[in-house]
Amino acid sequence: MDRRNFLQIAAMTGLAVAAPAIAAPRSARAALAPYKGPFYVMISARGGWDPTYLCDPKPKGGPFNRRYDYNPDADKAGEFRYANIGIDPTLVTDPLALPHLMSNASFFPKHAANLVVINGLNMQTNNHDRGVITTWSGRGDGGYPNFAALVAATKAPSHPLTFISSGGYDGTGDLIPVTRLNSVSAFRKLASPNRVNPTDPNSTSTYVAPATYARIQSAQQARLAAFKDAQHLPRIANSSAQLYTARSNFDTLTEVELPDTLVTIPGELSDLQRMMQQTQLAVAAFKAGLAVGVNLELGGFDTHANHDTVQVRQLAKLLRGIDYVIEQATAAGVYNQTLIMVGSDFGRGKGYNGPNAADGKDHWPVSSAMFLSGDASMIGGGRLIGGTDDVDQLPLPIDPDTLGTLELGDDSGVVITASHLHLALRELAGVTEGAPAQKFKLPGEILPIFG
């Protein structure tokens, strides 16, 4: 099988590996030890969420909130105040879908001790593409890598599934390949190419006898090794080395303990179901020690119309999706070694774009971000940082030492940007001085966001 055929088969099975333009050849699996964490889950609310309907609530009757009555003394969990929006049965057509939505009032008290919320995050853009890149890399230009990819390139660049993307910004800065996994069934086919029906756990039929298959693999590897050793052009040599390593690591994919049953929920929640199934795959890869980070994505947040219905429904899906990630990571015994970041392209506002109930909110460069971990000490859980004013929905500066919120316009403070978040994340992950981070430096000072 030549490289072209390999990539064609990978594409048909739903897995694509993008080789970097310049990278050191990855060593064979025999030299690798399972990666034990920390693990990184990046969850993107694609389209631009509304923090005033989530973690940065505003009084009803003003320009920002028509949907809920806000009581700052009651609608809180620890330091966190939230928009107390109930799960209205009219949000869905199938009553069986209601239990799969999660309200702010259920989410924040449940996870407050393991949560850090950043409000008043100045994204410095209201453009979707630039906003997505900025949120997940810390900078909107220059081909900067997703944070999870940066960590993977520093900590475990040779692991076969080191950075998995199921949607969202998955730029790697050409540091490592990205593995795009669309489904568990596609993964089963790739992991067990000799099985006739790998999606059926009860079927053990193979195309050829195991001994014959081993000889085929050996012959393929020998032929590929000879081809690789004969190359002199860097790009071809690198690509053939990547392919050689990929084939060498095929057997390691069988170490991933995939669930026999995929989670299924009512059809009108298909986007949430997709996110949950991808979570099952990602957590299995973490448990097997083959992955460092993963992207997950839930879309539908670009609510220029019907904001008070669609935004509320998507946020309720998102919270249940985050909660499911935590459930799965906890069951697999990896949540204490996992950091979850939740963010969006930007925020929405300021205010509505019309006077009618079916109107929406347009793009607004002020947003929020949330971080969770089963080890609250990893992130300094239970803290709220920053905020916005109630008049113009502008970000409030913070004291760079204490992180206390200051008055609007106080020049002694710092307005939090995505660069600040990523500088703090890099320090938390211990990758600041690594070669990948040094190649993709970020401006600004490191704030003690995570303690």
Side-chain angles (χ1 to χ4, degrees):
M1 183 190 302
D2 61 20
R3 180 174 184 271
R4 178 178 298 175
N5 287 340
F6 170 79
L7 296 176
Q8 287 175 341
I9 290 174
M12 287 190 299
T13 59
L15 185 149
V17 179
I22 300 175
R26 298 196 294 169
S27 58
R29 170 65 179 175
L32 299 178
Y35 178 77
K36 298 297 186 180
F39 306 101
Y40 300 89
V41 180
M42 310 284 103
I43 302 178
S44 175
R46 188 63 182 266
W49 65 3
D50 184 356
T52 69
Y53 274 36
L54 181 66
C55 55
D56 189 16
K58 299 298 180 187
K60 191 174 183 180
F64 314 116
N65 168 27
R66 299 175 182 169
R67 185 67 170 77
Y68 59 93
D69 293 312
Y70 175 48
N71 183 346
D73 296 323
D75 303 335
K76 64 180 182 178
E79 292 189 8
F80 309 111
R81 287 179 166 80
Y82 53 82
N84 194 358
I85 307 173
I87 303 299
D88 190 328
T90 62
L91 289 175
V92 292
T93 58
D94 184 351
L96 296 178
L98 282 176
H100 301 286
L101 303 179
M102 192 169 194
S103 69
N104 295 328
S106 295
F107 179 86
F108 283 95
K110 182 176 181 180
H111 298 295
N114 302 86
L115 174 68
V116 172
V117 170
I118 311 293
N119 286 333
L121 175 62
N122 184 4
M123 293 303 302
Q124 302 175 304
T125 184
N126 60 3
N127 174 273
H128 285 295
D129 292 338
R130 189 176 181 90
V132 169
I133 296 172
T134 301
T135 297
W136 301 111
S137 74
R139 181 168 175 174
D141 56 10
Y144 273 50
N146 178 292
F147 169 70
L150 182 83
V151 178
T154 308
K155 299 286 190 178
S158 300
H159 283 60
L161 300 176
T162 191
F163 176 53
I164 300 171
S165 180
S166 300
Y169 177 67
D170 55 17
T172 69
D174 285 341
L175 297 171
I176 53 172
V178 55
T179 301
R180 297 185 179 91
L181 296 177
N182 294 326
S183 69
V184 170
S185 61
F187 185 89
R188 289 188 192 278
K189 293 176 182 177
L190 190 70
S192 303
N194 191 36
R195 287 179 58 185
V196 175
N197 189 8
T199 61
D200 181 359
N202 297 316
S203 173
T204 59
S205 299
T206 59
Y207 291 105
V208 297
T212 302
Y213 183 66
R215 291 196 299 273
I216 292 172
Q217 287 184 304
S218 179
Q220 288 177 332
Q221 286 297 87
R223 182 176 61 185
L224 181 55
F227 174 81
K228 173 175 66 69
D229 293 341
Q231 302 311 306
H232 302 289
L233 294 176
R235 183 177 290 274
I236 297 178
N238 180 67
S239 296
S240 59
Q242 291 282 340
L243 178 58
Y244 182 87
T245 303
R247 284 184 176 168
S248 299
N249 289 326
F250 259 10
D251 61 327
T252 67
L253 300 184
T254 60
E255 298 173 13
V256 180
E257 297 178 8
L258 297 173
D260 291 334
T261 303
L262 297 180
V263 61
T264 57
I265 57 179
E268 65 181 293
L269 304 181
S270 59
D271 51 351
L272 175 58
Q273 176 177 287
R274 179 175 179 271
M275 177 184 173
M276 294 169 78
Q277 291 182 353
Q278 290 167 344
T279 295
Q280 291 179 284
L281 183 74
V283 171
F286 290 158
K287 187 176 180 180
L290 301 181
V292 175
V294 63
N295 272 356
L296 301 173
E297 183 179 61
L298 185 76
F301 289 90
D302 198 17
T303 50
H304 294 280
N306 295 315
H307 178 84
D308 285 354
T309 297
V310 179
Q311 184 76 206
V312 169
R313 179 168 55 238
Q314 294 308 107
L315 285 171
K317 292 180 190 177
L318 177 68
L319 294 183
R320 175 54 187 139
I322 300 168
D323 188 62
Y324 186 75
V325 171
I326 294 169
E327 284 181 4
Q328 292 294 298
T330 301
V334 299
Y335 185 38
N336 284 351
Q337 280 285 84
T338 299
L339 183 145
I340 301 169
M341 176 179 174
V342 190
S344 191
D345 318 13
F346 37 68
R348 306 209 76 82
K350 68 181 182 181
Y352 291 80
N353 56 20
N356 300 313
D359 290 326
K361 292 185 180 181
D362 298 326
H363 302 175
W364 187 244
V366 184
S367 187
S368 296
M370 303 195 305
F371 302 87
L372 300 106
S373 175
D375 180 3
S377 65
M378 179 192 296
I379 59 173
R383 295 178 301 127
L384 170 66
I385 301 170
T388 59
D389 76 311
D390 291 344
V391 178
D392 293 306
Q393 201 179 337
L394 295 175
L396 299 174
I398 63 168
D399 184 296
D401 298 317
T402 67
L403 303 184
T405 304
L406 305 176
E407 296 294 325
L408 190 66
D410 189 330
D411 293 336
S412 68
V414 174
V415 173
I416 306 172
T417 66
S419 182
H420 289 121
L421 291 188
H422 281 264
L423 286 169
L425 283 169
R426 291 179 178 191
E427 182 179 56
L428 176 67
V431 300
T432 301
E433 301 303 322
Q438 290 299 304
K439 179 179 179 180
F440 294 99
K441 293 184 177 181
L442 293 170
E445 59 187 307
I446 300 178
L447 301 175
I449 291 174
F450 300 109

